[in-house]
Amino acid sequence: MSKKAGGLSVASRREYVKTMRKRYQAATGRQERGELLDELVEVGGYSRKHAITLMNEAPSKRPVRRKKRPARPALPTGGGNRSRALGLGNCWRT
């Protein structure tokens, strides 16, 4: 389990941010939002700019899983005749 500033695990921080986002979006005044940001920065260990970004973004329904790219085929290394292996033919031979 990975831990970061404030001693919260990743899952705990996600839950905390989710709760704080609801409170932040329900807040009416600028001062109230500022206080909520101060709390998030202190407890979550985020920078203030990142905390603002977290509070303003829409909550994701599920984590995005990226597909792995297929491995690229290896370039031929050649057994000593690299110009032919690279498809250069006779143009570089002297």
Side-chain angles (χ1 to χ4, degrees):
M1 191 179 311
S2 166
K3 295 207 177 206
K4 199 164 180 171
L8 295 175
S9 69
V10 173
S12 298
R13 274 189 288 138
R14 278 194 193 122
E15 281 298 313
Y16 182 68
V17 167
K18 185 177 176 183
T19 304
M20 289 297 288
R21 185 180 293 124
K22 289 178 186 175
R23 288 176 56 195
Y24 184 83
Q25 291 174 350
T28 55
R30 183 177 179 148
Q31 184 177 0
E32 187 179 357
R33 284 183 169 216
E35 290 169 359
L36 290 172
L37 283 174
D38 291 339
E39 181 183 335
L40 182 62
V41 166
E42 186 177 332
V43 174
Y46 298 109
S47 70
R48 191 168 180 88
K49 277 289 193 184
H50 187 63
I52 291 169
T53 301
L54 288 173
M55 294 299 101
N56 288 326
E57 71 183 11
S60 61
K61 295 184 179 181
R62 63 185 176 96
V64 176
R65 296 191 183 233
R66 296 182 180 183
K67 294 180 182 177
K68 288 187 177 180
R69 282 196 239 170
R72 291 186 343 185
L75 289 173
T77 57
N81 191 354
R82 290 190 180 182
S83 61
R84 199 172 92 209
L86 296 175
L88 299 176
N90 291 328
C91 68
W92 291 104
R93 290 189 185 163
T94 55

